Amino acid sequence: MPRTLMTEIIRCQNPSMMTLEGTNSYLIAAPSSDTVAIVDPGPAGHPEHIDALLKAANGRKIEVILLTHHHADHSEAAPALAQATGAPVRAFREDFCIGAGPLEDEERLLISDAVVNVLHTPGHTSDSVCFLLAGDAENGSILTGDTILGRGTTMLDYPDGSLLDYFATLDQLKSLSPHEPMLVLPAHGEPLPDLTAAAEAYMDHRHERLDQFKVYLEQNNIDLADTAVQNSATADSVAIGLYGVDAQSEMGLKITGQMVSAMADYILQRS
């Protein structure tokens, strides 16, 4: 897996529709540091991944465990890793923290001799955060969790995640480095070379889907309010018709149904 000046990626072997090739855990440290921080230690049930993280630490003390958000494929291994190392766990949600307080928006962390800026970036989930390392790579790097993936687009865990929040987050991210390409280090997939380009592509895709969604509802005389109801038959029906998802695919229908309801909710909020 690729490395940068301040990060190393260790990928968990948990590939799936949701995780792509697997969850990317990150070690963060300045080159001269004798400690490391670990971001998103992965899911439970993968002791070999914990072993790989400890091996990558190479004898350095694990100073802190950070979570980009609460989803199980990012957070479940945190208690076991904390118990094994004595490191505290910090997340935006207090109930996922162990031995330390929650992360705050625009908090500046000095960990393992590296400056890490915390950005609250809701949309995928309400508690999603990104970690900005201004001194990393050529023009800085940003660990985006599931907010921006290495390929494809991300889902919104509606109603916890909202499209209104997500558009605001993407707008924030694309403005972080408008003149120099900042490296994107996602929780799934490979790194991307340009944060602004990635955020703009995500925004364009979501607006294109919104336009398709509006046309589909109008053509099929479907009530917008019914579509906004999570797990409703109307949302599932639109997901099948708009996305072409297999009606027998429980996971595919759940993901696309959430996106359909998130789009309906977004339109209703803005009307």
Side-chain angles (χ1 to χ4, degrees):
M1 295 295 295
R3 299 187 184 193
T4 69
L5 179 68
M6 295 182 178
T7 71
E8 180 179 355
I9 305 174
I10 306 296
R11 178 172 291 163
C12 184
Q13 298 305 305
N14 62 324
S16 70
M17 176 191 299
M18 297 293 290
T19 61
L20 303 182
E21 294 86 1
T23 300
N24 294 335
S25 299
Y26 288 86
L27 275 68
I28 296 177
S32 60
S33 178
D34 58 4
T35 68
V36 298
I38 291 181
V39 177
D40 288 352
H46 287 267
E48 77 287 349
H49 186 60
I50 296 292
D51 290 343
L53 292 173
L54 295 174
K55 182 179 179 180
N58 195 28
R60 293 171 293 179
K61 178 184 177 181
I62 296 176
E63 183 176 334
V64 65
I65 301 163
L66 303 174
L67 302 180
T68 60
H69 62 295
H70 71 275
H71 280 164
D73 58 308
H74 300 255
S75 67
E76 272 189 347
L81 184 59
Q83 184 174 22
T85 63
V89 179
R90 298 196 64 196
F92 195 79
R93 275 178 51 168
E94 187 171 10
D95 54 328
F96 279 80
C97 295
I98 300 173
L103 297 168
E104 297 180 8
D105 186 29
E106 299 186 353
E107 184 176 357
R108 182 178 181 271
L109 307 175
L110 179 61
I111 50 176
S112 303
D113 298 322
V115 176
V116 180
N117 291 296
V118 180
L119 302 176
H120 182 215
T121 51
H124 171 68
T125 62
S126 62
D127 67 321
S128 288
V129 295
C130 293
F131 299 112
L132 174 64
L133 287 77
D136 191 30
E138 186 174 353
N139 301 300
S141 68
I142 184 166
L143 280 67
T144 54
D146 284 358
T147 297
I148 293 179
L149 305 181
R151 62 179 172 87
T153 56
T154 197
M155 55 86 73
L156 304 187
D157 194 0
Y158 178 83
D160 180 51
S162 80
L163 190 52
L164 193 66
D165 282 344
Y166 194 51
F167 273 134
T169 282
L170 291 175
D171 195 52
Q172 175 190 13
L173 292 179
K174 78 172 187 175
S175 67
L176 287 178
S177 182
H179 305 300
E180 301 290 346
M182 181 182 292
L183 182 66
V184 176
L185 300 174
H188 304 287
E190 301 296 325
L192 299 174
D194 189 337
L195 173 63
T196 297
E200 288 178 344
Y202 267 52
M203 292 181 77
D204 289 345
H205 174 76
R206 292 266 62 91
H207 282 298
E208 182 180 350
R209 279 298 194 193
L210 273 170
D211 290 341
Q212 294 170 350
F213 175 66
K214 292 173 185 176
V215 170
Y216 186 87
L217 293 191
E218 183 177 352
Q219 289 178 341
N220 292 275
N221 195 28
I222 297 172
D223 184 77
L224 183 65
D226 288 345
T227 313
V229 178
Q230 185 187 16
N231 299 323
S232 68
T234 304
D236 287 351
S237 174
V238 174
I240 293 167
L242 182 62
Y243 285 91
V245 65
D246 183 353
Q248 303 305 312
S249 172
E250 184 176 343
M251 182 59 70
L253 197 57
K254 176 185 177 182
I255 295 168
T256 51
Q258 285 180 310
M259 286 307 310
V260 163
S261 294
M263 288 190 288
D265 178 70
Y266 173 78
I267 295 170
L268 288 169
Q269 287 188 70
R270 289 174 58 86
S271 61

